[in-house]
Amino acid sequence: MDPLGLGLLGIAALILVKEAGLPVPVPGDLLVVGAGVAASQGELDAPLAFLTILAAGLVGGVMQFTLVRGAGRDPLLRVLRRVGVSESRLETVADRLRRQGARGVAVARATPGVRIVAVAASGLAALPLVHFVAGLAIGNALFVGAHFAAGLIVGPSAVALVAGAAGPMLIGLAGLAIVGAGGWWLIRRWRRAPSTTVGDWADACCPACLALGAIGRADG
């Protein structure tokens, strides 16, 4: 297999593992944006990359859902607690999903700051599998589609910018990541909101996602 094909499989594997519930500290949305950028340069086949990412997210989500509903419930909940996702937060989302069903799953999976707990909450809510899968597929398609399209649109300019200033760009990105993580921590301390977690940041750290997540926190 060529290196680009291996790269796509690597992205899919990371997304599958993240969606299965393991706390991989890799921003999922940036993986999708990166795949879109690669597709804009002809390095990946756009439809294949998009469908592969969707399939990985769907399989991983179903795995986590099945674990939460079965023997893996307690170990998975312990893992989530270690990254700051409390069971009370899961129960709050689960109550909402019980009322809204597939539509609620779709909305949660498309919403930064909520999507990271939506799968486990669906398992706790004991949603019918068909309703969960329908909501998961729609929500993931919206979230992944928006980020993949963003990568396609900004791809050429982003590649040109990085090629012209790779060193300063890397330093700048590292600095932004540090400042962003520090700001996220300060907001959490200021609001005393245990639901604001590092896991949220790793799940959605593009500027648009952080803005939407912040608005959601303020409204809550």
Side-chain angles (χ1 to χ4, degrees):
M1 181 178 290
D2 62 273
L4 295 178
L6 289 174
L8 177 57
L9 284 180
I11 291 173
L14 281 173
I15 289 174
L16 187 151
V17 170
K18 283 174 62 67
E19 299 290 14
L22 295 180
V24 179
V26 178
D29 52 0
L30 294 191
L31 287 174
V32 179
V33 172
V37 171
S40 74
Q41 301 301 297
E43 297 176 354
L44 293 176
D45 179 81
L48 176 61
F50 179 68
L51 291 176
T52 299
I53 291 170
L54 279 184
L58 187 63
V59 172
V62 171
M63 289 173 62
Q64 183 181 161
F65 177 80
T66 303
L67 285 170
V68 172
R69 292 190 64 178
R73 172 181 170 133
D74 290 340
L76 184 56
L77 290 179
R78 282 198 296 270
V79 170
L80 290 173
R81 281 197 294 270
R82 287 173 184 168
V83 296
V85 179
S86 67
E87 194 162 353
S88 62
R89 181 185 180 190
L90 289 172
E91 286 291 353
T92 299
V93 179
D95 287 339
R96 188 187 314 160
L97 296 180
R98 289 186 188 100
R99 297 191 301 268
Q100 299 177 350
R103 179 174 63 87
V105 176
V107 171
R109 286 298 296 173
T111 304
V114 179
R115 70 186 312 270
I116 191 173
V117 301
V119 176
S122 297
L124 290 177
L127 295 181
L129 180 61
V130 64
H131 293 172
F132 168 73
V133 172
L136 178 67
I138 294 170
N140 279 6
L142 292 172
F143 189 85
V144 172
H147 288 80
F148 194 82
L152 285 173
I153 293 169
V154 305
S157 57
V159 171
L161 182 62
V162 171
M169 279 288 292
L170 289 174
I171 295 173
L173 286 173
L176 285 174
I178 294 170
V179 171
W184 194 269
W185 179 80
L186 287 174
I187 291 172
R188 179 188 178 191
R189 291 291 297 272
W190 174 53
R191 293 183 178 176
R192 297 180 181 178
S195 61
T196 306
T197 69
V198 174
D200 292 335
W201 174 83
D203 183 70
C205 72
C206 73
C209 289
L210 285 176
L212 288 172
I215 292 171
R217 299 292 183 199
D219 291 342

